Each structure stands twice: as structure tokens, then as C-alpha cells.
Amino acid sequence: MKYGKKYSDSLKSFERSKTYEAGEAMGLVLANAKAKFDETVELHVRLGIDPRQADQQVRGVLVLPNGTGKTKKVLVIAKGERADAAQAAGADFVGAEEMIQKIQTENWFGFDVMITTPDMMGMVGRIGRILGPKGLMPNPKSGTVTMDTAKAVAEVKAGKVEYRLDKTAIIHCPIGKKSFGTEKLMENFNALMEAIVKAKPAAAKGQYIKSVALTSTMGPGVKVNYNKI
């Protein structure tokens, strides 16, 4: 595989097969984030469980201590007091039937997160086939189906992330921007790793964490020594 010059130079700055202490790995990732934009730093964790088994799912939400560095646009589907509360909390779009109609007829997706109240899920479910593939379908497990719309909006705006196991038993999750610096990124890293460790299913057998890596948007991945996590 051919790599660009910056990427190739980055590969020469560390040993790809070596695992590094978390702080050192973070330093290498930041040093090799050489793009002209503020790159996102991502955490990738491979778990030793079978994602095909219902009792071995790992999924949760967490408000990162220092946020993600990205302001997400929030759409709230609610009525009455719940709609007013969402508006006051800073939701970018609030509505009911008219917003569902807008998505259906105009193929509008000017939002990153959809929050709704339980009583509106029947209406939202009508466009589940559109929302699902885009990862926008509200879900009680991710805190996006709730009566407390104000709290849900505030958490998303504060930097809430959802972590979940994919089909290959890996969790991929952003933990901030290069501009955060090592200290803030490490606080986010530690918070997310702690959440993943606590989320270990009771049915999980053997080694739970198989590998951990940090990377930036355009940079190479650096392996982290997970035995000390």
C-alpha cells in the first residue's frame, strides 16, 4: 500500500509493533497529527467477546470530562412542555409532525442527534428505515428517548459520546481534538476506558480487552499497553 509523505514520515517516528504507555502513545499521536485542520483523536478497543451473542453486548453513553470538541446539532421531536424545555436547553431544532414530514419529503438531515419523548416514538418509528442506516434512530439505551429532554440536550451539547461494539468486536470512539492537548485528551481517554471496563458483560469469559490503539484522523494508529489500564 502506498502512503503519503506525511504518513510515511509518521510511521518512522515509532515502532508499529510496540505497545506504549498511554501517555506516551498519546504524545506520539499528537506529534503525528500533521494535517492543516484540527484532527480528531480516536480510541479503538478490541474486546474478547462475541458481539453476535445477546448477553455479550457492550454499549453505553458517557459525557466526556472535556467534551469532544465538536458541537452537535440536535433535533428534538416533542410537544408541549417537553418541546419548550428542549428549546430552552439549546436544541437546534424542535418540532413534531412537521419535522418528520421534512425528513420524509425533503430528505433533510441537518442534525447530528435526534432526541424524542416516549410518546412520540410511534411517529418517529415511521421513518426508522431512513434514520436507522444513518445511526440517527433514537434509543432509550443511548439516552435519546426520554421525558427529560432538557437534560438530554444538555448532555449532547456537553460532549456526550456513545460507545458500542461493532460486528468485529471493536469499539471506535472519538475522544477529542488535537488542540485539546495531552492532559485533556488523557482525561477523556481514562474516563472512556473506565466506562468500557465497567461495562464488561457477566457472560464474558477469558481476556476482556484484547488490544487498545489511539489514532488521529489522518495519522497512523499507536498501540497502547492495556495491561496497566
Side-chain angles (χ1 to χ4, degrees):
M1 183 182 290
K2 279 195 171 185
Y3 297 117
K5 186 176 185 302
K6 287 182 181 178
Y7 192 94
S8 297
D9 288 343
S10 295
L11 289 175
K12 297 174 185 176
S13 67
F14 67 98
E15 295 178 46
R16 296 192 72 184
S17 59
K18 180 181 174 181
T19 58
Y20 294 85
E21 299 305 311
E24 188 179 2
M26 186 69 76
L28 287 167
V29 168
L30 295 183
N32 289 315
K34 299 173 182 177
K36 292 181 180 179
F37 61 91
D38 194 8
E39 293 186 51
T40 296
V41 177
E42 301 168 359
L43 172 64
H44 304 272
V45 183
R46 182 185 294 277
L47 300 180
I49 57 181
D50 186 353
R52 295 171 298 178
Q53 304 300 320
D55 60 355
Q56 294 190 37
Q57 298 301 306
V58 175
R59 179 178 185 176
V61 292
L62 174 74
V63 177
L64 293 173
N66 300 297
T68 62
K70 179 184 178 183
T71 303
K72 292 185 176 181
K73 290 191 175 181
V74 181
L75 165 63
V76 177
I77 303 296
K79 291 182 177 181
E81 292 180 2
R82 307 300 173 187
D84 294 340
Q87 194 85 59
D92 300 276
F93 311 98
V94 180
E97 290 91 348
E98 73 279 11
M99 301 308 294
I100 300 293
Q101 186 73 13
K102 186 177 176 71
I103 294 169
Q104 275 184 313
T105 59
E106 299 177 23
N107 200 33
W108 174 74
F109 292 100
F111 57 95
D112 302 298
V113 178
M114 179 189 282
I115 294 167
T116 188
T117 49
D119 58 300
M120 301 297 286
M121 271 303 287
M123 183 188 300
V124 173
R126 294 180 210 155
I127 56 170
R129 289 183 180 179
I130 303 173
L131 298 173
K134 294 181 179 292
L136 294 171
M137 187 68 183
N139 188 300
K141 290 182 180 179
S142 63
T144 49
V145 178
T146 175
M147 291 299 284
D148 196 344
T149 53
K151 179 184 177 184
V153 170
E155 286 181 345
V156 171
K157 292 294 186 179
K160 184 174 78 171
V161 294
E162 180 180 6
Y163 58 90
R164 62 186 302 180
L165 208 61
D166 69 9
K167 292 178 181 178
T168 60
I170 301 176
I171 291 173
H172 310 271
C173 199
I175 58 170
K177 297 287 187 178
K178 176 188 176 181
S179 58
F180 281 20
T182 302
E183 186 176 341
K184 286 185 175 181
L185 284 168
M186 283 304 300
E187 287 177 0
N188 283 357
F189 168 86
N190 289 328
L192 184 53
M193 283 304 306
E194 183 178 342
I196 292 171
V197 170
K198 284 183 177 178
K200 180 180 178 180
K205 305 295 181 185
Q207 187 178 354
Y208 179 51
I209 296 178
K210 289 285 190 179
S211 67
V212 177
L214 287 165
T215 184
S216 63
T217 307
M218 304 297 288
V222 180
K223 294 178 181 178
V224 179
N225 181 359
Y226 56 87
N227 290 319
K228 292 191 177 181
I229 296 173

